[in-house]
Amino acid sequence: MIKVNEEKCIGCGACVKECVGAFISLDNKKAVFNGQKCIGCGHCLAVCPTNAILFTNNEYDNSGIEELSESYGKIDSDLLLKAIKSRRSIRQYLKKPIEKAKLEKILEAGRYTATAVNFQSHHFVVVQEKMAEFKKLAWEAFHLYLNTLSKEEINSFAILSKAVKYDGTDETLDTLFWNAPCLIVVASDKPGRPWDAGMATQAMELVGNSLCLGALFTGFMVRVIKGSEKLQKWLGIEELDLMTCILLGYPAVNYKRTVPRKKLKIQWK
């Protein structure tokens, strides 16, 4: 997986110290890769001062490698915290599609988010051009899901009590899609790893916010898709483990301020 350019290698040992699996050693003051179970985290490549390390596995895309200055990637902490505090779950969207370039940037954030053991097991499905087709199938499945609930369960959620009346005509009752133009489904080929997808989806949402887009994590969509083989097949994820779903679009609402949260629950020890 890893190739060391001996002409560039200066034997500094930075890659040896960084390798979590101890797959790199120094031999005659040159780095030598000696591991067959490398997880491909890329720390050795990233830390090398002379760019002497290259990934040779075709599964990895070396074209995305960027050189970093000391200041690159450092974000003003106050600005970042304000962005996190000001994000809202959007349930009002403009009838405007999202440009593909923006969607690609959002997906890049998901692709580069850390994953446990560097599995990078995410599969992304973007539904926008065929949203009307998917929406029809999803509402059919959603009504079947609603039929499995009691009146008490439905009435306990305002979202469900509205949805049960939706017939495709009154947009104010569309509490499954909220009239969003786009849906991103995140699935995994490594079952039982919801934290990986959660981190990726959070990163995607924040990048979306920076592009003037709003998002909504939708747990009901996850339930509906998981309960429908037809939807899973339509999405092409029938062999995968569905993790998260987010609705995306340009917000039709402008928030004026952040909101309060419960007091911080913390122990200092």
Side-chain angles (χ1 to χ4, degrees):
M1 172 178 283
I2 290 174
K3 181 179 180 179
V4 179
N5 186 324
E6 292 188 2
E7 293 182 3
K8 288 185 175 182
C9 179
I10 59 176
C12 66
C15 57
V16 178
K17 293 178 182 178
E18 192 68 16
C19 182
V20 68
F23 296 137
I24 304 177
S25 60
L26 289 181
D27 184 11
N28 293 323
K29 296 184 179 181
K30 296 293 182 180
V32 178
F33 177 66
N34 52 21
Q36 299 304 315
K37 295 184 179 180
C38 170
I39 64 173
C41 68
H43 281 224
C44 58
L45 182 153
V47 79
C48 179
T50 60
N51 195 20
I53 296 176
L54 180 69
F55 273 41
T56 58
N57 189 330
N58 290 332
E59 189 178 1
Y60 285 77
D61 181 10
N62 287 301
S63 66
I65 297 172
E66 298 180 52
E67 295 297 319
L68 304 179
S69 64
E70 288 189 11
S71 62
Y72 190 85
K74 291 182 173 62
I75 303 173
D76 181 271
S77 59
D78 291 332
L79 185 61
L80 177 59
L81 183 57
K82 190 170 184 178
I84 292 171
K85 291 171 69 174
S86 63
R87 66 144 302 279
R88 302 256 59 82
S89 294
I90 303 301
R91 294 181 176 86
Q92 298 182 63
Y93 294 94
L94 298 176
K95 293 182 178 180
K96 177 181 177 181
I98 302 172
E99 299 87 340
K100 188 174 181 180
K102 289 189 175 183
L103 289 172
E104 288 174 341
K105 187 172 287 189
I106 289 169
L107 293 169
E108 193 76 343
R111 181 167 78 106
Y112 268 88
T113 302
T115 56
V117 200
N118 196 39
F119 275 136
Q120 301 183 56
S121 60
H122 299 133
H123 295 250
F124 303 98
V125 184
V126 180
V127 182
Q128 181 165 249
E129 291 184 7
K130 297 182 178 180
M131 176 62 93
E133 181 182 339
F134 177 77
K135 196 170 182 176
K136 184 174 183 291
L137 294 174
W139 268 106
E140 290 174 0
F142 193 38
H143 281 302
L144 291 175
Y145 164 70
L146 289 172
N147 290 337
T148 67
L149 304 179
S150 66
K151 288 185 178 181
E152 290 74 19
E153 289 174 312
I154 291 175
N155 291 333
S156 66
F157 286 99
I159 290 174
L160 297 181
S161 61
K162 284 187 175 182
V164 75
K165 303 172 186 176
Y166 182 72
D167 62 1
T169 58
D170 188 347
E171 291 186 349
T172 64
L173 301 177
D174 180 11
T175 54
L176 181 59
F177 289 88
W178 300 98
N179 303 299
C182 181
L183 170 73
I184 297 182
V185 175
V186 185
S188 172
D189 55 37
K190 298 287 185 184
R193 312 185 68 81
W195 52 86
D196 285 351
M199 291 192 296
T201 310
Q202 177 86 80
M204 291 162 65
E205 181 191 26
L206 288 173
V207 170
N209 287 165
S210 75
L211 297 170
C212 300
L213 296 168
L216 173 67
F217 283 72
T218 166
F220 282 119
M221 188 71 73
V222 172
R223 295 186 198 181
V224 170
I225 295 173
K226 282 192 172 184
S228 171
E229 291 183 3
K230 182 185 290 187
L231 285 178
Q232 293 172 37
K233 187 174 182 180
W234 191 94
L235 291 165
I237 62 169
E238 63 269 30
E239 302 297 328
L240 303 173
D241 192 14
L242 174 61
M243 294 282 99
T244 60
C245 295
I246 54 169
L247 294 166
L248 280 172
Y250 286 96
V253 56
N254 183 24
Y255 296 101
K256 308 298 182 183
R257 59 198 59 83
T258 62
V259 301
R261 283 285 192 258
K262 293 180 181 179
K263 292 182 178 180
L264 189 64
K265 304 176 185 70
I266 187 169
Q267 297 183 54
W268 299 98
K269 293 187 177 181

